[in-house]
Amino acid sequence: MAIQELTIRTPDDWHLHLRDDALLQETVPATSRCFERAIIMPNLTPPVTTAAKAEAYRQRILAAIPAGQRFEPLMTLYLTDQTSAQDIADAKVAGVVAAKLYPAGATTNSSAAVNSLERLDPVFAALAEAGMPLLVHGEVTDAEIDIFDREKVFIDRHLSRIVAEHPQLKVVFEHITTADAVEFVQQGPERLAATLTPQHLLMNRNDLLVGGIRPHNYCLPILKRATHQQALLDAVASGSSKFFLGTDSAPHSQSSKESSCGCAGCYSAWSALELYAQIFDNLGVLDKLEAFASEHGANFYGLPLNESRLTLVRESWTVPERIQLPQGESMVPFYAGREVQWKLKQPS
């Protein structure tokens, strides 16, 4: 008989975009309903490039947590060509837990990011010394490189060197999308791990392009072939501690997605944990969800496991077609209008 109810240790989201200002009133409650901690992406406008900016941002997030909910934002530093080893030391003292590497132009709000990865070797060394992981958006941005090949080229051209030449550096290869990335992480040292998103586990590029362009399924790294999707599914089904939950949930207004140059990102915060449960259930490995969602990431970051627990129940519900944003605009969430088979059980 199929499992009807599943209680697990409260999970964490190891890759999350909350944005800022009024949007925090939407994104923070959506996250804190089921995640106790989250790694907060620093690609604001302007980006979070110093310890002082990280602390100020953290305070704005804390102010948006609903009464009665527990949530700890884990702050990150946005790397630029000007980032120094001293910036890393200052961030460590301030409680920043990791640094984020965006190749310049790779994704939303990354224009101020890194143009020359080789020049950041002193920063990578400082991160290793501080015990702070390097979080990597792993794509090259060269115009001549096919967008479906950019993750693989980044591994060959950059990430393999960084991992090899900095033997004490912890690296999280974020939102991986290809069989090449899965193989690279599996064959790499224990200090190399990866996050996987619900959209890359549930979809492939047919879901973006067949029957017309579907802008709300457009994310970066872009959805890949079904064979790559299967490699990601195999990775999470394996139960390997090198893979853990990172939603990459990223809010964008409906108008900014449905424009002549629509932005990248899927907002999954209101359904992500339930979708992961559905994925693991479909794979027949529901018993491995807790480790993926609640243990592997914390262990990799050297943080204690959460002590609280939550319960998911097998109950069908439909993701809303739209969400109203605080500024008056609307947003189409990931999986809008589609049925989900698991639901977070609310405390009685």
Side-chain angles (χ1 to χ4, degrees):
M1 183 177 178
I3 296 172
Q4 300 300 309
E5 189 168 292
L6 180 68
T7 298
I8 63 173
R9 190 185 302 275
T10 303
D12 304 302
D13 187 345
W14 299 101
H15 184 142
L16 177 67
H17 298 270
L18 290 175
R19 307 304 188 210
D20 205 356
D21 302 322
L23 260 180
L24 295 177
Q25 302 304 317
E26 159 62 29
T27 58
V28 174
T31 299
S32 61
R33 72 186 182 93
C34 62
F35 294 113
E36 190 159 319
R37 296 173 295 204
I39 290 284
I40 309 301
M41 292 296 104
N43 57 330
L44 304 183
T45 306
V48 180
T49 54
T50 67
K53 290 180 179 178
E55 176 57 24
Y57 185 27
R58 189 177 79 90
Q59 291 300 324
R60 296 194 296 275
I61 295 168
L62 293 175
I65 300 173
Q69 289 190 358
R70 294 179 57 185
F71 179 64
E72 181 182 3
L74 304 172
M75 309 311 293
T76 62
L77 203 68
Y78 180 107
L79 298 181
T80 72
D81 292 335
Q82 288 73 46
T83 303
S84 67
Q86 186 61 52
D87 291 327
I88 301 303
D90 293 343
K92 175 69 173 180
V93 171
V96 174
V97 302
K100 179 61 183 276
L101 171 61
Y102 292 104
T107 189
T108 304
N109 297 341
S110 63
S111 59
V114 177
N115 290 284
S116 175
L117 272 67
E118 290 74 14
R119 292 170 58 184
L120 282 187
D121 280 329
V123 171
F124 300 153
L127 286 168
E129 183 176 352
M132 296 169 62
L134 173 68
L135 316 181
V136 179
H137 181 114
E139 293 185 288
V140 297
T141 57
D142 311 56
E144 69 274 14
I145 303 297
D146 189 294
I147 192 169
F148 293 103
D149 297 331
R150 291 182 176 188
E151 185 172 273
K152 172 65 164 62
V153 173
F154 186 90
I155 294 169
D156 296 341
R157 188 182 295 177
H158 300 296
L159 194 54
S160 56
R161 183 195 70 81
I162 292 171
V163 172
E165 294 184 4
H166 297 275
Q168 303 305 315
L169 179 64
K170 283 188 170 185
V171 176
V172 180
F173 196 174
E174 296 191 309
H175 46 44
I176 61 171
T177 65
T178 60
D180 309 281
V182 170
E183 182 180 12
F184 179 73
V185 172
Q186 287 174 329
Q187 295 182 357
E190 288 304 308
R191 57 189 174 82
L192 173 64
T195 56
L196 293 101
T197 75
Q199 61 264 29
H200 292 111
L201 290 167
L202 283 165
M203 295 182 173
N204 58 63
R205 65 189 189 182
N206 280 0
D207 297 288
L208 176 65
L209 299 170
V210 172
I213 296 174
R214 295 182 167 88
H216 299 287
N217 292 342
Y218 173 54
C219 56
L220 290 172
I222 199 165
L223 298 169
K224 304 298 195 299
R225 288 181 180 273
T227 51
H228 290 296
Q229 178 193 10
Q230 187 59 53
L232 303 182
L233 292 167
D234 292 343
V236 299
S238 75
S240 168
S241 62
K242 282 174 160 280
F243 303 103
F244 44 85
L245 186 155
T247 66
D248 194 22
S249 180
H252 294 283
S253 67
Q254 184 172 357
S255 61
S256 64
K257 292 287 287 182
E258 299 175 2
S259 68
S260 60
C261 187
C263 56
C266 298
Y267 184 62
S268 62
W270 286 109
S271 62
L273 181 59
E274 293 87 341
L275 288 172
Y276 282 116
Q278 184 164 307
I279 292 162
F280 277 70
D281 192 16
N282 291 342
L283 290 169
V285 293
L286 201 54
D287 59 313
K288 295 180 180 179
L289 175 64
E290 182 174 35
F292 174 82
S294 312
E295 298 173 3
H296 294 168
N299 290 337
F300 185 85
Y301 277 83
L303 296 172
L305 301 181
N306 296 324
E307 296 183 358
S308 62
R309 294 185 174 272
L310 55 72
T311 299
L312 292 154
V313 294
R314 188 184 297 277
E315 180 181 332
S316 179
W317 63 286
T318 302
V319 177
E321 295 281 358
R322 285 173 183 76
I323 294 172
Q324 201 65 32
L325 296 177
Q327 311 96 307
E329 293 186 274
S330 63
M331 174 170 54
V332 177
F334 178 64
Y335 234 59
R338 300 181 68 171
E339 195 173 85
V340 183
Q341 301 303 318
W342 286 89
K343 191 172 187 178
L344 182 65
K345 184 177 182 179
Q346 297 302 319
S348 56

